Amino acid sequence: GSITGSKARKININLSFLDEGDYAAEIYTDAPDAVVDPNLLSKETRTVKRTDILVLNLVSGGGAAIQFRKK
């Protein structure tokens, strides 16, 4: 998981901590209009592996949570 302060930012997450193979990354982030309603979320699922760098754009005052599942 991650959080950010009052400024939006892009973060890069090195996934080298994962074991070999493909994973489903279920990504929950604050929605772009979360400033208006902080309860709004975006959900996305990506296929990733340990050699990937996951790039997340965090909105102002937002954050992210990720669950990895081996495929």
Side-chain angles (χ1 to χ4, degrees), residues 3-23:
I3 59 173
T4 189
S6 61
K7 293 185 180 180
R9 73 176 78 192
K10 182 190 308 186
I11 61 171
N12 298 315
I13 304 168
N14 183 324
L15 300 181
S16 62
F17 61 88
L18 295 173
D19 287 333
E20 293 293 328
D22 289 339
Y23 290 80

Side-chain angles (χ1 to χ4, degrees), residues 9-52:
R9 73 176 78 192
K10 182 190 308 186
I11 61 171
N12 298 315
I13 304 168
N14 183 324
L15 300 181
S16 62
F17 61 88
L18 295 173
D19 287 333
E20 293 293 328
D22 289 339
Y23 290 80
E26 199 166 276
I27 305 163
Y28 297 87
T29 57
D30 287 293
D33 54 351
V35 173
V36 176
D37 183 350
N39 295 313
L40 298 178
L41 296 174
S42 295
K43 178 186 171 191
E44 175 186 5
T45 302
R46 298 184 199 173
T47 298
V48 297
K49 56 188 170 221
R50 72 182 323 267
T51 56
D52 292 338

